[in-house]
């Protein structure tokens, strides 16, 4: 069993598991942090961005000044943003049989895999995952395609040139494999390969393994996966949460008794407690708005935003914010808000019960009804008519490199009354802000990551007790910035196996058994013999028939009739010869009784010696030695076959034959 | 006993003795016992029994084989004990009854004995009875002691504990009198009961079963704790070798009880001079685990006369966990102090690192012990203030992950303590206590910075924040003033400038507990520093006052109440009118008054309304500018709102406000605030008639008269006091010509009658001072005060009522007579 690790990002994993005869890809996350190296794509012409000076080498050579721009001491690529794909060279991706998706954040690289690698398999995901994943992809494509950029920079990627660039461009890995965003056509094609599944549904893969999605509690439709055969069980835990937020709670019990547990997608900010961060978010929002400032919340169009809106729903009255407009701007804002209300079966119990009242499960419906929350596909159109300040704007993209957020950063960045509050943990907020410097607006970092923290993981592992844990290497040591925090790493016994990008792990467990079926007529012919109370044995002579990873014992063909002619039929050559089998023996030899029996049969001067493995019975007179061990007995005598046979028969008296 | 009770008693006894009429209510029996106890303490029990033979009959009933309920059986045992506490009565009952009740022939061993209440009654009966030498002989003869011994291990903790206490009591009683002096160590010289008990204790102390050892130690702890006669010294001399043997064992059996015993012995004035005792204590300190040693160390340090070496050892034990923490953070206690010599021993380190709960438990206990020790006069001197401050700060840094661990131990501590709310709370409390004294400036800066970190951190839970606010307040108020200047020192100023944005954010928290703690902090700090220019400046340049005002409309009533108090305080100190224009200096204040009046009349919850009344009373007392502008109108509006309030505390507070107004109007000498600017000199000397008119104008009388018949007693009492005070001040001034009987007086009295009867009735309308005075004169206010002073259930509490209740409950009395409630 092998694990091919195609992504080094612990929360955007992409691993391939070879298990029995199947090749299963676990998630295909897309690392978008590469976009932080690019200049933002402004929705409205930005003189500031277009007038940034080109970057030149120390010696004054300015051949890169078209591709690289300098802003407040940082250098950015002036080109369409590109993404860092999962590793494609480590394994032939056309051999992947199935792709299992855990949640909508972990499928963003899907079009790259399904459309460009010769992939012919099947993709499995839950319905909300697919629908919301589609929204995220649609938003991404829309954000990038609506601001077409003529220029495509590639000169800087040349290895010799890249060495000369300042950090972080100099240290960016595998820039040659970075790719532009996919198209909507590719998205549609990729999504058409997805087969929808429900929690606890068992899906057979070629008869060899069975995969099952389990609720992971992190997002609408998010799952962990069990991949099991009859005797082996691998659990794949990715993006799970034990907090009471909107999704169905995590199913922990089904993860028990795993041979291997692959653990990814833990919280990216282990020191930040989501409750505290929500409090921080609300307080800072209220303080800004009270002073007449605007609040900008760069966010994804689904996920934490539902919880934030719910929290604000309860908070705005107490904070005297009832008259402040909340705007949600995204090409998919409407669909996201509506979708969340219809996936009742994927919601937590409280929200499910609301549906029967009937009430919308999320209170943002009421915010929309009372006009406190308004949503728009973009800043163009209706929004510009309704826009009123001070206000709170939720919009993407959290990287601040594309989407409507770029416009608001340009618009509000100059005033210290305004605040940008980062709630998504995927991007470093300082790096995200770099191309907007110098910035007067206040920046608050309240990352809300509801995924498992290390305390919860250690409790989970204690409860489900997997034999082996496999996880990204980042989880096996404290975070570099807090090297003394030994509590911020996975602590389990035996220690977790770690992986990094482009590594192949041989998983530390051997398959020992395979299930074989016996045909009824064969089973009928067996005559079991009880060798111990409760244990019966029978010898089986059969033909092992293997097809589609299923093994069946069939009755042996009848012995061919004696040849009628002298000439043997060719056909009978194919039939294996059924030799007369020696009887099988079982049982153990009680030494004392054996010695008594020997004495009865005239042997004298018997001496018994205990050895590490059993006993040695010495017949001193006959110069013979009987070595009795757990699984073998040897009679060593000097060329006296008669004696040997006599002794053998005495030994056999103590054993059962069948 | 009054005749009516005597009349009812036979019926009661026959009801109790009748198994077919079960007494449903346990509390009745308890009340009956209390009553009998009071009677027997006041007079002769013998006489009582002779006058009421039914009581003895009742006790005899118990001896007959019948199915008496367990609770009646228990009651009878306790009753017999109460009577037999007097020696003559004991002799009267001794013949057949007492052996039948408490001897082997009694309930012991019978089916009823399985009920814990019967065993408990048996023990309590004996406990009451054992008061005189005759009782001792009885105890020795009837074999009860053996039963008491066995009851020490009873499954019911109440019974087991009572058995232990009974043994201590009997031991003390038997050593009284002839053996009072100094008996020899030899057993034969001791009274029989004492011999038996001491023998039993010795045997238990030698036992290998920890529960038996614990029982013996508990009996001894009670004995040495309560009895300080010279014989206890002999007892200790006899038993201390056995106790010393216990110390040899590993693990130490019954460590907690042993600590209690040793401390009890050490506190005893007859024993504490014993040198061997100090050695035993020192040895015990060495043997106990760090968790067990804490209470003993604290106990030793609380002792008045104790050798210095032992105190040092005990303090060392107490400080050890903190020394470990400091060492783990590589903060070898730099500043000179006691911690210097103490290096955390390996056992303490092991305990700290064994698990999260053990670590938190040991640290919390240590901090709590030191917190108790800090204010005591006998605390160790010099007090290691600086290392303790350092330790508290370091613990807090470990908890929020900001400490830099210097070793593996530190790394492990960091992992165990990160985010541990329990330890954070304890450490913040302790840090607050340490504010009584200051420390090196560098450390004080660290204290403020760690407090600020906790106040600022989004991860601080609501309770941690509350404690952090409290500790901050204590440190702020204890911070030194700049010499020669009455304003705050620069460090404090700087801290305040950083603190207020945090407070601002906390006042916007979605968690109401946090908003509430923030407001409480604001109130307190303003109360103390409202006059300090530095504080005023920082506060007024922040948004805190506006945010506090906004919280007057918070959805949570507790927060509204705290906001009312905070705003009242800010306004009193003139810290609210920030945006008022120079032409209308009172503009903002007015709106606050209106807002508070709105809360008083409209808020659906009691807490904010009570808070408003308190603020208004304080404003009136202090002569708040907005009140003095038109005091009468203010008082009239407040009283009108308060009189309609459904919350009795609001009405009571209304009377408090009325009293302040009264005192100011009539010129009460020594009024609540002698320095108040409010009552102008003219009012003090104004003729009472004029003053009375002012009181009439604000309708104070109607408010007070209505309150006089309030269904809530405290309100009525307060009103009664107010009117009595008023009468004392005014009636001597009024002439005899103002006699009652005028039509006005009659109508007022009629209204009072209606109110007394619980009817609402129309308002009194405008009253003339003469009418009021006439009504005041005619009222029996003293009588009313007397009636109100009786508890409202004094009628129902009488023994007669009690007897009637019991009888009514089983239907012996007719229904009409039943005092049902």
């Amino acid at each position: 069993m092998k694990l091919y690790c195609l992504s080094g990002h612990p929360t955007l994993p992409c691993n391939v598991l070879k298990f029995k005869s199947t090749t299963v890809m676990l998630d295909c996350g897309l690392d978008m942090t590469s976009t932080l190296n690019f200049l933002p794509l402004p929705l409205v012409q930005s003189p500031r961005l277009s007038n940034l000076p080109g970057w030149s080498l120390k010696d004054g050579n300015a051949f890169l000044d078209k591709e690289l721009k300098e802003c407040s001491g940082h250098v950015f690529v002036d080109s369409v943003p590109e993404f860092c794909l999962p590793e494609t060279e480590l394994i032939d991706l056309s051999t992947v049989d199935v792709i299992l998706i855990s949640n909508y954040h972990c499928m963003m690289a899907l079009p790259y895999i399904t459309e460009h690698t010769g992939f012919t398999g099947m993709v499995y995901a839950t319905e909300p995952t697919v629908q919301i994943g589609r929204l995220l992809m649609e938003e991404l494509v829309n954000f990038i395609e609506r601001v077409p950029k003529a220029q495509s920079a590639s000169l800087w990627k040349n290895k010799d040139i890249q060495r000369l660039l300042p950090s972080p461009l100099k240290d960016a890995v595998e820039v040659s494999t970075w790719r532009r965003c996919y198209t909507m056509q590719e998205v549609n094609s990729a999504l058409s390969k997805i087969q929808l599944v429900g929690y606890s549904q068992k899906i057979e893969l070629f008869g060899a393994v069975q995969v099952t999605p389990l609720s992971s509690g992190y997002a609408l439709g998010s799952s962990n996966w069990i991949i099991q055969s009859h005797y082996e069980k691998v659990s794949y835990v990715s993006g799970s949460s034990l907090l009471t937020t909107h999704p169905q709670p995590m199913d922990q019990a089904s993860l028990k008794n795993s041979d291997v547990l692959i653990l990814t997608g833990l919280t990216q900010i282990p020191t930040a407690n989501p409750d505290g961060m929500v409090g921080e978010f609300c307080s800072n929002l209220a303080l800004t708005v009270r002073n007449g400032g605007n609040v900008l919340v760069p966010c994804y169009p689904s996920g934490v935003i539902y919880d934030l809106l719910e929290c604000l729903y309860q908070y705005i009255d107490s904070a005297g914010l009832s008259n402040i407009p909340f705007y949600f701007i995204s090409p998919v804002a409407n669909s996201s808000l509506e979708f969340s209300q219809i996936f009742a079966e994927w919601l937590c119990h409280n929200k499910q019960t609301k549906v029967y009242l009937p009430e919308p499960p999320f209170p943002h419906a009421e915010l929309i009804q009372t006009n406190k929350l308004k949503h728009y596909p973009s800043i163009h159109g209706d929004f510009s008519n309704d826009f009123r300040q001070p206000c709170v704007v939720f919009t993407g993209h959290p990287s601040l490199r594309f989407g409507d957020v770029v416009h608001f950063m340009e618009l509000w960045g100059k005033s210290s009354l305004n605040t940008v509050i980062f709630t998504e943990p995927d991007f470093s907020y300082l790096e995200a802000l770099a191309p907007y410097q110098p910035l007067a607006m206040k920046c608050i970092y309240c990352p809300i990551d509801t995924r498992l923290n290390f305390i919860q993981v250690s409790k989970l592992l204690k409860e489900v007790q997997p034999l082996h844990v496999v996880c990204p290497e980042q989880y096996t040591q404290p975070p570099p910035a807090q090297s003394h925090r030994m509590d911020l790493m996975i602590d389990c016994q035996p220690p977790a196996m770690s992986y990094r990008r482009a590594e192949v792990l041989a998983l530390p467990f051997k398959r020992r058994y395979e299930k074989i079926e016996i045909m009824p007529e064969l089973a009928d012919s067996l005559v079991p013999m009880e060798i111990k109370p409760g244990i019966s044995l029978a010898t089986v002579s059969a033909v092992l028939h293997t097809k589609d990873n299923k093994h069946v014992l069939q009755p042996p063909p009848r012995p061919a009739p004696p040849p009628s002619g002298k000439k043997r039929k060719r056909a009978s050559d194919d039939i294996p010869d059924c030799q007369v089998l020696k009887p099988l023996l079982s049982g153990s030899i009680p030494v004392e009784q054996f010695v008594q029996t020997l004495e009865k049969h005239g042997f004298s001067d018997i001496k018994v010696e205990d050895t590490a493995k059993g006993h040695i019975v010495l017949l001193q007179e006959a110069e013979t030695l009987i070595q009795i061990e757990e699984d073998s007995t040897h009679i060593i005598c000097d060329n006296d076959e008669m004696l040997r046979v006599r002794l053998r028969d005495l030994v056999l008296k103590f054993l059962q034959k069948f | 006993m009054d005749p009516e009770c005597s009349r009812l008693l036979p019926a009661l006894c026959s009801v109790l003795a009748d198994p077919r009429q079960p007494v449903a209510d346990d509390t009745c029996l308890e009340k009956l016992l209390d009553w009998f106890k009071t009677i027997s303490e006041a007079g002769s029990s013998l006489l009582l029994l002779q006058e009421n033979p039914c009581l003895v009959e009742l006790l005899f009933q118990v001896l007959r084989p019948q199915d008496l309920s367990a609770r009646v059986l228990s009651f009878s045992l306790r009753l017999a004990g109460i009577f037999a506490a007097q020696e003559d009565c004991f002799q009267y009952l001794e013949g057949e009854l007492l052996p039948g009740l408490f001897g082997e022939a009694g309930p012991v061993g019978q089916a009823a004995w399985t009920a814990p209440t019967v065993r408990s009654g048996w023990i309590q009966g004996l406990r009451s009875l054992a008061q005189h030498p005759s009782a001792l002989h009885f105890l020795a003869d009837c074999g009860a002691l053996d039963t008491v011994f066995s009851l020490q291990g009873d499954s019911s903790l109440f019974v087991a504990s009572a058995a232990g206490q009974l043994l201590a009591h009997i031991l003390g009683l038997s050593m009284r009198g002839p053996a009072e002096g100094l008996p020899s160590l030899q057993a034969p010289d001791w009274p029989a009961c004492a011999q038996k008990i001491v023998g039993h204790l010795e045997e238990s102390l030698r036992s290998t079963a920890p529960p038996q050892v614990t029982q013996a130690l508990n009996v001894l702890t009670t004995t040495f704790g309560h009895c300080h006669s010279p014989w206890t010294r002999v007892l200790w001399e006899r038993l201390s070798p056995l106790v010393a043997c216990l110390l040899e064992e590993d693990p130490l059996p019954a460590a907690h009880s042993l600590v209690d015993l040793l401390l009890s012995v050490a506190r005893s004035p007859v024993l504490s001079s014993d040198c061997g005792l100090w050695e035993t204590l020192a040895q015990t300190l060495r043997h106990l685990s760090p968790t067990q040693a804490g209470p003993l160390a604290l106990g030793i340090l609380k002792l008045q006369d104790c050798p210095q070496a032992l105190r040092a050892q005990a303090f060392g034990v107490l400080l050890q966990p903190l020394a470990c923490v400091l060492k783990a953070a590589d903060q070898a206690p730099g500043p000179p102090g006691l911690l210097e010599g103490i290096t955390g021993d390996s056992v303490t380190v092991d305990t700290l690192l064994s698990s999260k709960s053990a670590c938190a438990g040991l640290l919390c206990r240590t901090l709590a012990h030191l917190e108790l020790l800090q204010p005591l006069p006998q605390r160790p001197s010099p007090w290691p203030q600086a290392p303790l401050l350092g330790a508290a700060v370091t613990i807090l840094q470990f908890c929020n992950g900001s400490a830099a661990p210097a070793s593996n131990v530190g790394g492990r501590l960091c992992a165990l303590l990160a985010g541990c709310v329990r330890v954070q709370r304890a450490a913040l409390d302790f840090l607050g206590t340490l504010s009584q004294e200051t420390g090196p400036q560098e450390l004080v800066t660290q204290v403020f910075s760690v407090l600020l970190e906790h106040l600022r951190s989004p991860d601080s839970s609501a309770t941690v924040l509350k404690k952090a606010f409290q500790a901050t307040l204590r440190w702020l108020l204890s911070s030194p003033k700049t010499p020669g200047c009455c304003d705050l020192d620069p460090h404090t100023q700087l801290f305040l400038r950083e603190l207020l944005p945090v407070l601002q954010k906390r006042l916007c928290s979605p968690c109401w507990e946090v908003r509430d703690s923030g407001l409480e902090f604001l109130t307190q700090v303003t109360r103390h520093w409202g006059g300090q220019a530095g504080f005023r400046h920082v506060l007024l340049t922040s948004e805190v006052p506006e945010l506090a005002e906004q919280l007057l409309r918070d959805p949570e009533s507790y927060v509204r109440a705290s906001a009312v108090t905070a705003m009242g305080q800010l306004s009193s100190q003139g810290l609210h009118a920030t945006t008022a224009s120079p032409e209308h200096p009172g503009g903002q204040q007015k709106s606050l008054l209106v807002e508070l009046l709105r809360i008083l009349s409209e808020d659906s919850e009691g807490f904010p309304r009570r808070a408003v009344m308190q603020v208004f009373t304080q404003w009136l007392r202090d002569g708040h500018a907005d009140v003095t502008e038109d005091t009468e109108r203010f008082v009239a509006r407040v009283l009108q709102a308060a009189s309609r309030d459904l919350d009795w505390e609001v009405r009571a507070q209304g009377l408090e406000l009325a009293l302040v107004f009264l005192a100011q109007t009539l010129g009460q000498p020594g009024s609540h605030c002698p320095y108040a600017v409010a009552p102008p000199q003219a009012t003090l000397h104004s003729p009472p008639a004029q003053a009375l008119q002012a009181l009439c104008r604000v309708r104070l009388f109607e408010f007070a008269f209505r309150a006089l018949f309030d269904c809530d007693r405290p309100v009525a009492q307060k009103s009664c006091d107010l009117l009595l005070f008023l009468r004392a001040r005014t009636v001597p001034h009024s002439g005899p010509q103002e006699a009652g009987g005028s039509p006005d007086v009659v109508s007022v009295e009629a209204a009072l009658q209606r109110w007394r009867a619980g009817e609402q009735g129309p308002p009194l309308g405008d009253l003339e001072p003469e009418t009021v005075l006439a009504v005041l004169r005619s009222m029996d206010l003293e009588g009313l005060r007397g009636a109100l002073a009786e508890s409202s259930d004094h009628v129902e509490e009488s023994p007669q009522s009690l007897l009637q209740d019991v009888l009514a409950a089983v239907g012996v009395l007719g229904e009409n007579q039943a005092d049902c409630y």
Side-chain angles (χ1 to χ4, degrees), chain A residues 54-337:
Chain A
W55 183 78
S56 50
L57 291 171
K58 274 182 194 158
D59 59 8
N61 196 331
F63 73 102
L64 281 169
D65 67 346
K66 290 274 178 297
E67 290 201 353
L68 302 181
K69 302 284 178 191
E70 196 168 347
C71 175
S72 301
H74 289 83
V75 177
F76 298 95
V77 183
D78 188 11
S79 172
V80 183
E82 292 177 340
F83 305 117
C84 177
L85 269 53
E87 207 56 51
T88 48
E89 305 297 319
L90 196 63
I91 182 171
D92 179 1
L93 293 177
S94 66
T95 62
V96 171
D97 298 312
V98 293
I99 303 179
L100 307 179
I101 304 290
S102 317
N103 59 66
Y104 44 77
H105 286 298
C106 292
M107 62 184 282
M108 296 299 279
L110 194 62
Y112 294 116
I113 308 286
T114 59
E115 307 309 303
H116 298 285
T117 62
F119 171 79
T120 53
M122 192 68 90
V123 185
Y124 290 103
T126 62
E127 192 184 354
T129 303
V130 178
Q131 297 299 356
I132 299 173
R134 176 193 293 278
L135 295 182
L136 292 183
M137 290 179 180
E138 223 177 287
E139 191 195 55
L140 188 66
V141 174
N142 188 307
F143 279 163
I144 289 175
E145 285 186 353
R146 74 182 176 185
V147 193
K149 195 140 187 155
Q151 187 187 352
S152 179
S154 56
L155 205 54
W156 71 277
K157 290 187 184 177
N158 184 312
K159 274 192 179 155
D160 293 330
I161 296 176
Q162 197 196 350
R163 272 192 295 119
L164 306 171
L165 303 181
S167 284
L169 281 177
K170 185 173 67 176
D171 310 318
V173 286
E174 304 196 37
V175 290
S176 57
T177 64
W178 289 11
R179 290 286 172 271
R180 285 174 160 222
C181 186
Y182 30 72
T183 63
M184 221 34 232
Q185 199 184 356
E186 288 168 325
V187 170
N188 287 331
S189 170
L191 295 182
S192 69
K193 297 185 172 71
I194 299 184
Q195 178 96 33
L196 298 184
V197 291
Y199 288 149
S200 304
Q201 184 184 334
K202 293 181 168 52
I203 304 134
E204 288 278 335
L205 302 185
F206 318 113
V209 295
Q210 201 180 50
V211 294
T212 314
L214 305 171
S215 172
S216 79
Y218 166 56
L220 274 177
S222 67
S223 349
N224 293 321
W225 291 86
I226 304 276
I227 303 130
Q228 61 187 338
S229 64
H230 293 295
Y231 296 102
E232 298 90 15
K233 179 171 173 181
V234 177
S235 296
Y236 174 59
V237 173
S238 164
S240 303
S241 175
L242 292 169
L243 300 182
T244 319
T245 53
H246 60 270
Q248 228 184 74
M250 178 181 177
D251 177 355
Q252 295 183 67
S254 309
L255 299 172
K256 279 186 184 167
N257 305 321
S258 306
D259 297 290
V260 174
L261 187 137
I262 304 169
L263 185 61
T264 65
L266 304 186
T267 176
Q268 300 190 67
I269 319 287
T271 50
N273 157 26
D275 281 341
M277 285 302 157
V278 170
E280 197 76 356
F281 172 80
C282 290
S283 314
N284 283 300
L285 184 144
L287 279 174
T288 305
V289 176
R290 272 184 53 81
N291 283 331
N294 301 294
V295 176
L296 178 62
V297 188
C299 62
Y300 293 114
S302 178
V304 172
I305 186 172
Y306 303 141
D307 296 316
L308 283 181
L309 288 175
E310 180 155 2
C311 187
L312 287 172
Y313 168 78
Q314 292 159 357
Y315 177 68
I316 49 178
D317 287 335
S318 75
L321 302 177
S322 317
N323 298 321
I324 301 297
F326 288 75
Y327 301 120
F328 176 22
I329 304 171
S330 160
V332 297
N334 186 30
S335 319
S336 164
L337 292 173

Side-chain angles (χ1 to χ4, degrees), chain B residues 48-70:
Chain B
L48 180 72
L49 291 189
Q50 283 165 344
E51 282 171 2
N52 300 286
C54 60
L55 287 171
V56 181
E57 276 168 39
L58 170 68
L59 298 179
F60 269 107
Q61 283 291 327
V62 179
L63 302 184
R64 293 188 195 123
Q66 54 178 340
D67 295 334
L68 264 189
S69 75

Side-chain angles (χ1 to χ4, degrees), chain A residues 334-501:
Chain A
N334 186 30
S335 319
S336 164
L337 292 173
E338 306 258 302
F339 268 138
S340 65
Q341 305 285 20
I342 59 166
F343 288 125
E345 60 170 301
W346 306 91
L347 292 173
C348 63
H349 180 72
N350 268 351
K351 297 217 179 299
Q352 276 193 26
T353 47
K354 281 196 168 184
V355 179
Y356 298 104
L357 290 178
E359 268 177 29
F362 285 94
H364 57 237
E366 199 184 314
L367 289 175
I368 295 171
Q369 221 168 30
T370 52
N371 264 336
K372 286 178 182 164
L373 173 67
K374 293 182 179 178
H375 53 86
Y376 305 90
S378 117
I379 52 167
H380 299 302
D382 289 348
F383 174 71
S384 35
N385 301 330
D386 298 351
F387 184 46
R388 188 155 61 80
Q389 302 189 72
C391 63
V392 180
V393 170
F394 294 88
T395 188
H397 185 270
S399 65
L400 304 191
R401 291 300 178 271
F402 35 81
D404 302 86
V405 74
V406 177
H407 175 70
F408 287 101
M409 284 304 296
E410 292 286 325
L411 185 70
W412 289 343
K414 295 171 209 80
S415 165
S416 62
L417 282 180
N418 303 324
T419 306
V420 53
I421 308 184
F422 291 87
T423 56
E424 300 289 353
D426 287 354
F427 300 91
S428 145
Y429 79 105
L430 288 176
E431 285 183 44
L433 288 171
Y436 299 94
Q437 299 294 359
L439 200 66
M441 99 195 274
K442 282 195 285 287
C443 302
I444 307 287
Y445 184 53
C446 323
I448 298 170
D449 196 334
T450 57
R451 285 171 282 204
L452 298 177
N453 62 30
F454 289 99
I455 298 173
Q456 292 164 334
V457 165
S458 93
K459 273 189 195 154
L460 176 77
L461 292 181
K462 262 183 205 146
E463 198 167 309
V464 305
Q465 297 200 323
L467 288 184
H468 301 282
V469 176
V470 178
C471 65
E473 66 171 350
Q474 290 93 329
Y475 296 161
T476 57
Q477 57 218 17
Q482 290 159 301
S483 54
H484 64 283
R485 294 289 298 266
M486 305 302 283
D487 53 324
L488 303 182
M489 56 183 272
I490 290 179
D491 179 22
C492 64
Q493 280 307 324
M497 284 185 77
S498 68
Y499 68 79
R500 61 171 75 177
R501 188 179 165 107

